[in-house]
Amino acid sequence: MSSETREAGPSTSTAERAEADADAPETAGTADADAGNDAGGEDGKTHPDRTVLIAAVGFLVLCLGVVLFGVLRGGDEDRAEPKAPTASVTYEVTGEGTVDLSYQGASEQGTAETVSGARLPWKKTVEVPLGENPVIRITLGEQGGQARCAVAVRGRHVQSATAAGEFGRATCSAPLPAPAPEASG
């Protein structure tokens, strides 16, 4: 049996085909053509190397997109001004009934927060930027009564005041020290 006969037969094994290729140098071109067909090409299949290459390029594009998104979105955080140092301030209103009140420190814009008809006793702890003056204002309603406001900075009582009678008012405040200047290095 010649090497040509072995290749032409449909029941040849891979080992027989490899042996035939070694025996007959003229069939090496045929084996390369067969390998090309197995890897794709004329029959419409993609090459495995191309599939891996396409997947790798897609992965790199995805990674580049994530990095660019992080750089573009996170760039502002590096340039943002550091937060101002703050002090813990506790506002407290005692008495009976309800009051309208406003206090400074709960919003970063420095505007006062207001609470209408707050049930007593009422207490709130907020962070106030150093250099600001935390303040709470209380106003009694038409029914009058008596209410006391108090301010504590970092747990230490600073001031208190009492409102009494119809539409009685009281204000409590406390100065906070200015922030220390930054040391330049």
Side-chain angles (χ1 to χ4, degrees):
M1 202 153 73
S2 72
S3 63
E4 290 176 7
T5 309
R6 276 189 262 153
E7 278 189 64
S11 62
T12 58
S13 69
T14 306
E16 290 174 354
R17 191 177 299 152
E19 184 181 322
D21 289 344
D23 289 345
E26 67 274 1
T27 61
T30 308
D32 288 343
D34 288 343
N37 286 339
D38 289 344
E42 295 174 4
D43 60 353
K45 295 181 184 175
T46 60
H47 292 280
D49 292 341
R50 263 192 212 158
T51 305
V52 170
L53 181 64
I54 290 170
V57 168
F59 179 75
L60 289 175
V61 167
L62 178 65
C63 289
L64 181 62
V66 169
V67 168
L68 285 175
F69 176 78
V71 167
L72 294 175
R73 180 167 161 98
D76 292 338
E77 292 173 6
D78 294 338
R79 291 183 293 243
E81 293 182 27
K83 274 190 142 180
T86 60
S88 177
V89 174
T90 301
Y91 300 113
E92 185 172 13
V93 182
T94 56
E96 292 184 17
T98 61
V99 297
D100 293 335
L101 58 92
S102 66
Y103 60 94
Q104 189 269 332
S107 78
E108 292 182 6
Q109 294 81 20
T111 59
E113 295 289 321
T114 59
V115 179
S116 296
R119 287 227 164 271
L120 300 182
W122 180 91
K123 187 176 185 177
K124 179 91 174 188
T125 301
V126 296
E127 293 295 318
V128 177
L130 293 181
E132 299 287 326
N133 291 326
V135 62
I136 183 167
R137 293 177 180 87
I138 61 172
T139 304
L140 296 171
E142 205 175 298
Q143 291 80 19
Q146 187 172 359
R148 179 179 161 268
C149 65
V151 175
V153 177
R154 295 183 178 127
R156 193 175 135 249
H157 174 76
V158 178
Q159 185 183 30
S160 65
T162 302
E166 187 177 338
F167 300 106
R169 296 173 183 256
T171 301
C172 295
S173 65
L176 291 180
E182 291 183 30
S184 55

